[in-house]
Amino acid sequence: MILSIDTSCDETAAALVLGRRVLSNVVYSQVLLHQKWGGVVPSIAKRAHEERIDFVINATIKKILSQKNLFTTKLASPPKLVGSVMPYLFLADGSLFYRNFFDYIEAIAVTVGPGLAPALEVGIKKAKELAKNFNKKIISVNHLEGHIYSPFVQNSKGNPKIDFRFPYLVLTVSGGHTSLVVFEDHLKYKVIGETIDDAAGEALDKAAKLLGLGYPGGPVIERLAKEVDNRDFYHFPRPMISSDNLNFSFSGLKTSFYYFLKKMDEKEKLKKIRELSSSFQQAVFETLIIKTEKAIKKTGIKNLALVGGVSANFYLRKLFRNLAKKYNGQVLFPSFKYLCGDNAAMIGVVASFKAQKNLFVFDIKNLDRMPRMSL
Ligand code: KG4
Ligand code: ZN
């Protein structure tokens, strides 16, 4: 088993995985802490990760121990509780029980970037501490690799049973990232387009903020847009669609939305909130689809995957499905909702493939200085 940790943004996450199977997964969202600021505040995120990381790891382990059948069938013999010692009390000092449990762990996987540096550091520090205390190897994982593998992550029963049919064209759309990547083979990626300013989810969040809809904005905008059948009323600009490259830019769209709203009085804005939400969402999604279609034509790759927080959006999934159909391709999404947003299960699954190739971190001291951005 691999114990994985992700603290790249505003979710404190840990998981236990066996190959592609997730045996246990815990995500402690900080969304309520950041909500009143209208976005993620790095210093608050760091402190919350520090306060919660032990609890989250303990809960992940506790959860697997409660699935006795699964645990005993998957492993030669289950770990023994030491007397009345409860596992979740003893992370910091490396108690006897933990030593026992950690016998079943092959490596500790941790997200090293990209993400908020102060937040990432919390997970990296914890991974180092566990590796040292229990003499485990570390596997470093790029957060975007995690999202790219998310459609292939299976539950504890091994579902969904999809096989890899490389290559894939993967569109990652989250609050922090928008990119088009060719997923060539295991652990082999080629970035062919990315945002030069705001991410798609960030654009939705900012639009929602301008509309007074709170944070995160994506799900609220989805709901309001659906109430008017996702129609386009105002035809806001589709940024960079005529440029030949595959990069995205959403800050111009946000600015034009801002000036459009400025001309409306509050009463009118409120009256038209559905139409505004739907039109903005349409501008973002149509841009995503146009660029993805360009990427299909440029690369000839017809098998698509949509990943990241915004991939939870049913309307965007529908547009993506239609696009794949047009080219007779396959389309993949994360199979479980928790796999759209940030989580450590996807990090653990990437780590399993890295472990097969012996890609452990040997220079643990320099873990926090490893390249963070490149895929
Ligand atoms: O992947 P994620 O949880 O965190 C990052 O790595 O950024 O993505 C969060 C983003 C936010 O911008 C949020 O508004 C957006 O995903 N999001 C959605 C939906 N659910 C979350 N956007 C559109 N529709 C949704 N249903
Ligand atoms: Zn993410």
Side-chain angles (χ1 to χ4, degrees):
M1 280 191 300
I2 286 176
L3 171 65
S4 54
I5 299 170
D6 184 293
T7 60
S8 58
C9 192
D10 59 345
E11 330 274 358
T12 314
L16 281 161
V17 307
L18 193 63
R20 276 163 70 187
R21 295 181 184 211
V22 181
L23 306 184
S24 170
N25 177 67
V26 175
V27 180
Y28 195 161
S29 172
Q30 300 176 6
V31 74
L32 294 175
L33 295 179
H34 300 287
Q35 221 158 36
K36 69 172 169 185
W37 306 102
V40 181
V41 184
S43 57
I44 294 177
K46 178 186 167 73
R47 182 138 40 94
H49 284 309
E50 283 171 343
E51 284 168 6
R52 297 166 178 198
I53 185 97
D54 280 355
F55 171 82
V56 167
I57 294 174
N58 280 319
T60 308
I61 294 174
K62 206 177 149 196
K63 228 168 151 181
I64 199 176
L65 292 174
S66 66
Q67 304 168 36
K68 276 205 193 78
N69 289 338
L70 174 92
F71 203 57
T72 44
T73 52
K74 289 285 167 286
L75 301 168
S77 59
K80 294 182 186 70
L81 279 175
V82 179
S84 59
V85 172
M86 293 300 284
Y88 52 92
L89 293 174
F90 291 89
L91 186 70
D93 66 357
S95 70
L96 253 170
F97 176 80
Y98 258 72
R99 282 189 198 292
N100 191 317
F101 180 81
F102 272 75
D103 286 348
Y104 296 89
I105 304 285
E106 184 189 4
I108 315 289
V110 64
T111 302
V112 291
L116 301 171
L120 286 160
E121 278 160 18
V122 179
I124 294 173
K125 194 169 156 218
K126 184 54 67 182
K128 278 182 170 176
E129 181 190 311
L130 293 172
K132 190 163 167 263
N133 286 355
F134 301 106
N135 195 23
K136 296 294 161 191
K137 289 180 257 186
I138 288 188
I139 300 173
S140 68
V141 178
N142 181 298
H143 183 76
L144 298 173
E145 283 185 279
H147 279 300
I148 289 170
Y149 268 85
S150 63
F152 302 96
V153 174
Q154 297 175 323
N155 65 12
S156 61
K157 296 183 179 71
N159 291 318
K161 296 203 184 332
I162 38 166
D163 289 325
F164 289 89
R165 283 156 62 181
F166 294 111
Y168 293 94
L169 191 59
V170 185
L171 177 68
T172 305
V173 271
S174 71
H177 314 280
T178 301
S179 62
L180 271 165
V181 173
V182 177
F183 187 14
E184 295 173 329
D185 201 345
H186 281 301
L187 310 174
K188 277 185 74 183
Y189 322 93
K190 193 153 98 202
V191 182
I192 55 171
E194 52 198 335
T195 180
I196 56 169
D197 41 56
D198 294 351
E202 189 180 1
L204 294 170
D205 291 340
K206 286 179 176 170
K209 197 173 172 182
L210 290 173
L211 292 170
L213 295 172
Y215 172 85
V220 195
I221 289 194
E222 175 176 25
R223 187 164 47 78
L224 291 171
K226 197 173 164 233
E227 287 175 16
V228 286
D229 298 322
N230 299 304
R231 272 175 293 149
D232 190 5
F233 298 88
Y234 300 108
H235 211 75
F236 296 117
R238 272 63 170 154
M240 289 179 72
I241 49 167
S242 46
S243 80
D244 200 33
N245 64 39
L246 299 172
N247 289 335
F248 304 90
S249 162
F250 291 107
S251 77
L253 167 64
K254 177 196 66 194
T255 310
S256 89
F257 190 62
Y258 170 80
Y259 284 110
F260 189 86
L261 291 184
K262 241 181 135 177
K263 284 186 279 173
M264 288 175 114
D265 64 42
E266 284 305 312
K267 232 168 127 187
E268 200 186 347
K269 214 161 94 178
L270 209 59
K271 206 171 135 215
K272 294 285 178 198
I273 200 121
R274 288 171 189 79
E275 288 82 352
L276 288 162
S277 298
S278 185
S279 303
F280 188 87
Q281 180 180 266
Q282 191 65 36
V284 173
F285 289 178
E286 204 177 290
T287 308
L288 295 174
I289 295 295
I290 289 172
K291 286 286 180 177
T292 309
E293 183 161 11
K294 275 191 182 187
I296 296 173
K297 286 182 178 153
K298 229 174 185 164
T299 61
I301 301 171
K302 292 169 183 141
N303 284 347
L304 310 180
L306 178 70
V307 303
V310 185
S311 73
N313 189 294
F314 284 105
Y315 181 55
L316 181 59
R317 285 188 178 207
K318 185 178 159 197
L319 296 176
F320 229 67
R321 243 183 243 116
N322 291 344
L323 181 63
K325 216 185 215 168
K326 183 169 165 189
Y327 289 89
N328 278 325
Q330 186 194 15
V331 62
L332 299 175
F333 308 109
S335 302
F336 307 101
K337 190 153 188 252
Y338 83 87
L339 289 169
C340 296
D342 288 346
N343 65 87
M346 64 187 188
I347 302 301
V349 170
V350 174
S352 299
F353 287 97
K354 285 193 152 187
Q356 280 174 24
K357 297 194 170 172
N358 220 17
L359 294 171
F360 299 100
V361 175
F362 295 103
D363 186 14
I364 289 182
K365 257 198 213 130
N366 288 322
L367 188 61
D368 30 12
R369 264 172 265 151
M370 289 184 54
R372 298 236 165 127
M373 300 307 289
S374 56
L375 252 183

